[in-house]
Amino acid sequence: MTTYLVLTLVVIAGVTAVTLPVLRRLASAPLAWTAVALLAMTAVFDSAIVGFGLTVYDTSKILGRYIGAAPVEDFGYTIAALMLMPVLWTVLGRRSQPGSLP
């Protein structure tokens, strides 16, 4: 049986494998502060989305642990975005530098 946790872990593992070489070179303090802000916003807005019934989870496929009204599995996608976006910004930003290859 596939659960949201399994799906989340597969996504995080894939994103980690792709982004880790670049993430190691980036400054950790801005990433940490961004993580705090995005995880807090995820807690607030995912709780609102779940609380208003816009998203409903199959309770047999979640861990049953929540932050606010949001299942903890939801936070995995925020973590994946926290890894992926700075790497994309860094890699794609290099391409837009004058004199670099398209």
Side-chain angles (χ1 to χ4, degrees):
M1 173 170 70
T2 302
T3 64
Y4 294 119
L5 178 63
V6 171
L7 181 60
T8 301
L9 291 176
V10 167
V11 169
I12 289 176
V15 170
T16 300
V18 170
T19 62
L20 201 56
V22 176
L23 279 176
R24 287 183 177 168
R25 296 190 313 252
L26 299 178
S28 60
L31 294 175
W33 283 111
T34 302
V36 168
L38 284 179
L39 289 168
M41 289 191 314
T42 299
V44 170
F45 292 110
D46 277 12
S47 291
I49 289 168
V50 172
F52 287 122
L54 298 174
T55 300
V56 179
Y57 292 94
D58 182 347
T59 56
S60 69
K61 295 186 179 187
I62 61 173
L63 288 174
R65 305 275 190 241
Y66 299 88
I67 298 175
V72 295
E73 294 91 339
D74 259 4
F75 292 83
Y77 297 102
T78 302
I79 293 167
L82 284 164
M83 291 187 289
L84 190 58
M85 293 313 296
V87 170
L88 287 173
W89 183 276
T90 301
V91 171
L92 295 176
R94 286 187 195 142
R95 292 184 182 170
S96 66
Q97 298 292 328
S100 66
L101 296 174

